[in-house]
Amino acid sequence: MSRFIWYDLMCSDLAGAKAFYSDIIGWKTEKFPGGDYELLKAGDKGVGGIMALPDEMKRAGVPQHWMGYIHADNVDATAQEARKMGGKVMSPPSDIPTVGRFAVLEDPQGAVFAVFKPLPREGELAPRELLGNFSWAELNTTDWQSAWKFYSALFGWKATSSMNMGPEFGEYFMFGTDPKQSMGGMSNAANMMKAPAHWLHYINVKNADETARRIPEKGGKVLNGPMDVPGGDRIAQCMDPQGGVFAIYSAARRA
């Protein structure tokens, strides 16, 4: 099950970020015992966490950002393999007491992600279709073919489909843990954006247009959209008031 299973927001203004996302997405927060970390909950399901950027990150100029965690059966071996394939280990494998083991990695094009092996726990992960959960992971990179070789070798992901988005955007390639079900996509969009390679994570909302309308009212920005995607679903790429980039997704009403 090498898929994204958790998401963290490292923020510059904890109170402001909690207020923004609680209003826009509807998340509730719950203090995690023994630290300054808080769970983000969609209903009664935990979908991610939020914490203030550590001082060393602030001093290094690291902006507010989302981090996606991919399940790994062996965090140490995955980190070693990533390094062998041209990636970097940004934060070495470490234990989180009572939670699991993780490492922060960078792929050969510069996109940062984490790997995570949770300790056994009661209950199931929140379903991907749950409102307030994350349902799509998008890699905006500079060389998606090379990135695909890296991720497919590291996690065993399967190709699902692709589409040509025109001469400016190029191919949008989709993947999943099952060749019959996509969980994300990748393209050379970072070149078009003139931005570093990065992962963008999509959050389920009831109505992308209504959510996008409220984002500027709360101090955020809508960077692109809302727009249709194949099948009639709606998406928009957005930025929170502290500069964290995220996306929203709403499913089309089916007959």
Side-chain angles (χ1 to χ4, degrees):
M1 189 189 64
S2 296
R3 64 180 181 87
F4 285 95
I5 60 171
W6 196 254
Y7 307 83
D8 275 350
L9 178 64
M10 308 288 284
C11 61
S12 52
D13 174 4
L14 184 59
K18 286 169 57 177
F20 175 80
Y21 284 102
S22 293
D23 186 82
I24 294 299
I25 305 298
W27 286 327
K28 305 298 181 185
T29 60
E30 181 180 299
K31 192 79 172 178
F32 189 77
D36 297 325
Y37 186 82
E38 297 189 40
L39 299 177
L40 297 171
K41 302 190 78 172
D44 62 351
K45 295 288 188 180
V47 298
I50 184 170
M51 65 180 293
L53 277 165
D55 289 339
E56 60 269 24
M57 286 190 178
K58 290 181 180 179
R59 287 193 294 267
V62 176
Q64 179 157 309
H65 64 278
W66 282 98
M67 174 81 72
Y69 290 71
I70 303 171
H71 182 275
D73 288 328
N74 187 318
V75 168
D76 296 70
T78 302
Q80 291 174 8
E81 188 63 23
R83 185 187 286 117
K84 289 178 183 177
M85 291 192 295
K88 295 179 182 178
V89 179
M90 308 297 287
S91 181
S94 304
D95 289 324
I96 308 171
T98 75
V99 175
R101 191 164 177 81
F102 82 104
V104 179
L105 310 178
E106 182 181 277
D107 71 24
Q109 285 71 45
V112 177
F113 63 100
V115 290
F116 179 45
K117 174 66 181 293
L119 292 173
R121 63 182 183 182
E122 295 182 1
E124 298 179 352
L125 292 171
R128 289 177 61 199
E129 65 272 14
L130 178 70
L131 286 178
N133 198 10
F134 295 79
S135 59
W136 191 259
E138 187 170 271
L139 179 62
N140 296 316
T141 188
T142 56
D143 180 358
W144 75 259
Q145 291 93 337
S146 295
W148 172 241
K149 290 178 182 178
F150 174 84
Y151 286 102
S152 59
L154 196 60
F155 297 116
W157 291 346
K158 311 298 182 185
T160 56
S161 61
S162 67
M163 64 180 72
N164 190 308
M165 302 292 287
E168 184 179 15
F169 192 93
E171 185 171 1
Y172 191 82
F173 175 85
M174 287 166 275
F175 60 88
T177 56
D178 182 334
K180 296 181 180 178
Q181 184 175 13
S182 298
M183 68 177 187
M186 57 180 67
S187 73
N188 291 342
N191 291 330
M192 184 178 66
M193 297 174 180
K194 295 181 172 55
H198 61 277
W199 282 97
L200 177 66
H201 300 288
Y202 286 68
I203 307 165
N204 297 328
V205 297
K206 185 175 182 180
N207 185 309
D209 293 79
E210 173 60 22
T211 301
R213 183 189 64 77
R214 291 191 293 111
I215 285 172
E217 296 175 356
K218 300 299 178 179
K221 297 178 181 178
V222 177
L223 303 176
N224 191 27
M227 70 186 82
D228 283 336
V229 293
D233 300 342
R234 299 279 285 172
I235 64 169
Q237 290 85 36
C238 312
M239 180 182 289
D240 67 33
Q242 284 76 49
V245 179
F246 65 102
I248 54 175
Y249 161 87
S250 62
R253 295 183 179 179
R254 313 297 184 193

